[in-house]
């Protein structure tokens, strides 16, 4: 299939191109477009056969449900039912924006969109291109991140082209996205609202509106995939992992730098190519041929925005071994560490541990 690629300026949208994208979606086709979090791969959420095509293009397991994207608050009542007051409170506080709510599924949403579940994930994005495309389609849009299943989510159209060129009808290139990690998911179908996936809307922001909120134990746990079944089915799959072997090194900054440098020397002696992922403030401490500055510790948003692009660059460099510093795990840092730990398969070394004698 020939994939049409259009560049769209979000401040001066070419409505002819947007309407063409809307028409493809209305006919059951696939269109990738930017959202404020990551690029999404859209299909008509109300047409079971259209949303099934997403699974084929991504190579995604079909029990992994899709998020339904809407562009007006009233649409929430059309795709969900028995909506609790908490959903309206969150919508007023954070929509349009990077928050997904799990609600009871409306009758008209096909089970093939929700992976067979009787709940539905609903999100109203704020990105002007995403909103315009949903509106032009005249329907609601099921959209997972527009990457091949297992790869880092796309934060630039180039990433989408890498994974989806030739497999989908259209890609709208709206430049680099702002946030860079996927939306926060909160489940509102239980007694207490539960965060299933951390994101830009943090725990504190949610408790500020709702009071009590709990967090799915699976989020930062090493045993997420085995012992606790995560409530968001997608959280159980291996995700984001670069092809090289990624290890996170945590501890006091001096010890982390010493340990990573020692590990780099060791890997080089074994003829392995190595890369280091570090904060801007400490990137200069590493003696390694590939050192990637991921962003500033003083600005967690910069780390979130660059994380997936840096993980993809590791694959382009074909490095064998990757060492990454650890980042704060509160606020937005929780979302960053959730993605980084998954990418590393929860392989973490503590550099303050004295027992290191030069061999891991
Ligand atoms: O920021 C985002 O949310 C992006 C953009 C494109 O909007 N979308 C995204 O979709 O990240 P995806 O498919 O990559 O991740 C959706 C996650 C998966 O882990 C899935 O299992 C979970 O949401 N999910 C969807 N419906 C659910 C439901 N009814 N109950 C529990 N989890 C659900
Ligand atoms: Mg995804």
């Amino acid at each position: 299939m020939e994939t049409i690629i259009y560049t769209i300026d979000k401040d001066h949208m070419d409505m002819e191109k947007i309407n063409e994208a809307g028409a493809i979606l209305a006919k059951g086709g696939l269109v990738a477009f930017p959202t404020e979090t990551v690029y999404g791969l859209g299909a008509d959420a109300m047409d079971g056969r259209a949303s099934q095509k997403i699974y084929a293009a991504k190579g995604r397991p079909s029990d992994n449900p899709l998020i339904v994207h809407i562009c007006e608050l009233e649409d929430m009542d059309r795709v969900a039912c028995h909506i609790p007051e908490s959903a309206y409170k969150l919508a007023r506080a954070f929509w349009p924006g990077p928050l997904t709510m799990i609600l009871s599924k409306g009758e008209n949403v096909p089970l093939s969109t929700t992976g067979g579940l009787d709940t539905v994930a609903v999100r109203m994005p704020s990105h002007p291109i995403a909103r315009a495309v949903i509106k032009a389609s005249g329907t609601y849009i099921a959209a997972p991140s527009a990457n091949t299943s297992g790869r880092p989510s796309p934060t630039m159209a180039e990433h989408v082209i890498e994974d989806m060129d030739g497999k989908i009808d259209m890609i709208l290139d709206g430049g680099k996205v702002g946030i860079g990690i996927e939306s926060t998911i909160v489940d509102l179908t239980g007694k207490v609202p539960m965060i299933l996936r951390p994101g830009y809307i943090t725990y504190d922001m949610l408790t500020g509106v709702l009071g009590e909120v709990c967090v799915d134990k699976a989020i930062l746990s090493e045993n997420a995939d085995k012992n606790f079944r995560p409530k968001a089915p997608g959280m159980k799959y291996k995700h984001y992992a670069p092809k090289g072997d990624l290890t996170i090194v945590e501890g006091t900054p001096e010890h982390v730098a010493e340990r990573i440098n020692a590990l780099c020397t060791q890997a080089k002696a074994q003829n392995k190519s190595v890369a280091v992922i570090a904060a801007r403030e400490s990137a200069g401490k590493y003696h390694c041929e590939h050192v990637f500055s991921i962003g500033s510790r003083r600005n967690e948003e910069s780390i979130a925005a660059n994380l997936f692009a840096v993980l993809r660059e590791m694959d382009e460099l074909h490095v064998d071994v990757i060492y990454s510093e650890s980042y704060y795990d509160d606020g937005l840092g929780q979302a960053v560490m959730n993605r980084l730990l998954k990418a590393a398969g929860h392989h973490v070394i503590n550099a303050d541990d004295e027992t290191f004698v030069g061999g891991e």
Side-chain angles (χ1 to χ4, degrees):
M1 164 191 304
E2 173 109 27
T3 302
I4 302 167
I5 302 173
Y6 287 149
T7 301
I8 307 273
D9 176 351
K10 70 174 177 7
D11 299 318
H12 302 97
M13 279 189 279
D14 179 339
M15 288 315 289
E16 231 171 80
K17 289 176 177 155
I18 296 283
N19 287 333
E20 200 178 320
I24 290 174
L25 289 165
K27 275 194 300 204
L30 299 182
V31 177
F33 54 85
T35 81
E36 68 277 21
T37 56
V38 298
Y39 273 76
L41 173 56
D44 183 354
M46 311 309 271
D47 171 353
R49 264 193 306 186
S51 58
Q52 281 306 304
K53 290 186 192 166
I54 288 177
Y55 292 97
K58 279 180 63 87
R60 177 176 172 124
S62 60
D63 69 337
N64 192 359
L66 304 169
I67 297 174
V68 177
H69 294 66
I70 59 176
C71 64
E72 305 294 342
L73 187 54
E74 305 87 79
D75 298 336
M76 180 160 74
D77 304 279
R78 305 201 177 100
V79 296
C81 60
H82 312 303
I83 300 171
E85 187 47 37
S86 53
Y88 295 99
K89 282 190 189 159
L90 289 180
R92 277 195 295 274
F94 304 117
W95 275 1
L99 178 72
T100 296
M101 298 190 230
I102 308 294
L103 300 166
S104 298
K105 185 181 87 62
E107 248 173 41
N108 47 351
V109 179
L111 284 166
S112 54
T113 296
T114 64
L117 298 176
D118 57 7
T119 54
V120 61
V122 189
R123 161 157 134 78
M124 183 158 87
S126 62
H127 195 293
I129 297 177
R131 296 178 62 75
V133 168
I134 300 167
K135 198 161 189 196
S137 74
T139 178
Y140 312 123
I141 300 300
S145 48
N147 51 284
T148 300
S149 197
R151 295 208 73 201
S153 299
T155 53
M156 298 191 271
E158 288 77 1
H159 301 159
V160 183
I161 295 168
E162 235 169 71
D163 288 8
M164 293 297 155
D165 195 18
K167 296 183 184 161
I168 63 176
D169 299 284
M170 183 181 276
I171 297 171
L172 298 179
D173 178 353
K176 190 176 170 188
V177 300
I179 294 176
I181 48 176
E182 308 88 341
S183 62
T184 304
I185 302 181
V186 57
D187 183 356
L188 298 178
T189 62
K191 255 203 219 125
V192 179
M194 183 190 274
I195 300 175
L196 306 189
R197 180 173 74 180
Y200 188 82
I201 305 296
T202 60
Y203 174 84
D204 288 346
M205 291 160 85
L206 292 170
T207 51
V209 174
L210 295 181
E212 193 185 4
V213 172
C214 59
V215 180
D216 189 357
K217 279 207 287 286
I219 282 180
L220 285 176
S221 162
E222 179 171 4
N223 295 320
D225 307 338
K226 301 168 205 144
N227 298 354
F228 319 111
R229 174 181 284 266
K231 286 201 73 191
M235 298 292 276
K236 73 173 179 273
Y237 295 110
K238 191 168 178 222
H239 241 118
Y240 315 127
K243 296 189 186 97
D245 201 359
L246 169 62
T247 301
I248 300 169
V249 182
E250 61 177 22
T252 44
E254 311 81 70
H255 290 171
V256 169
E258 270 168 37
R259 179 70 66 93
I260 288 183
N261 281 328
L263 289 164
C264 286
T265 307
Q266 204 174 73
K268 269 184 261 170
Q270 295 166 353
N271 276 326
K272 290 181 179 161
S273 55
V274 197
V276 172
I277 302 175
R280 185 176 309 149
E281 291 82 359
S282 45
K285 294 183 188 167
Y286 296 98
H287 320 303
C288 174
E289 48 179 331
H290 304 296
V291 180
F292 285 83
S293 158
I294 193 173
S296 168
R297 283 189 193 276
R298 282 191 284 274
N299 176 4
E300 282 179 337
E301 296 189 7
S302 66
I303 296 179
N306 292 323
L307 176 66
F308 288 143
V310 167
L311 289 176
R312 276 181 183 255
E313 279 189 60
M314 297 297 134
D315 287 349
E316 263 163 47
L317 281 174
H318 299 289
V319 286
D320 302 311
V321 188
I322 307 153
Y323 294 108
S324 173
E325 294 180 340
S326 178
Y327 304 95
Y328 308 121
D329 64 2
D330 59 343
L332 183 56
Q334 187 179 55
V336 169
M337 284 311 292
N338 167 260
R339 293 358 180 238
L340 195 59
L341 282 163
K342 270 176 170 288
H346 288 270
H347 190 198
V348 182
I349 293 176
N350 190 326
D352 298 337
D353 180 353
E354 298 285 332
T355 56
F356 179 69
V357 284
E360 287 293 334

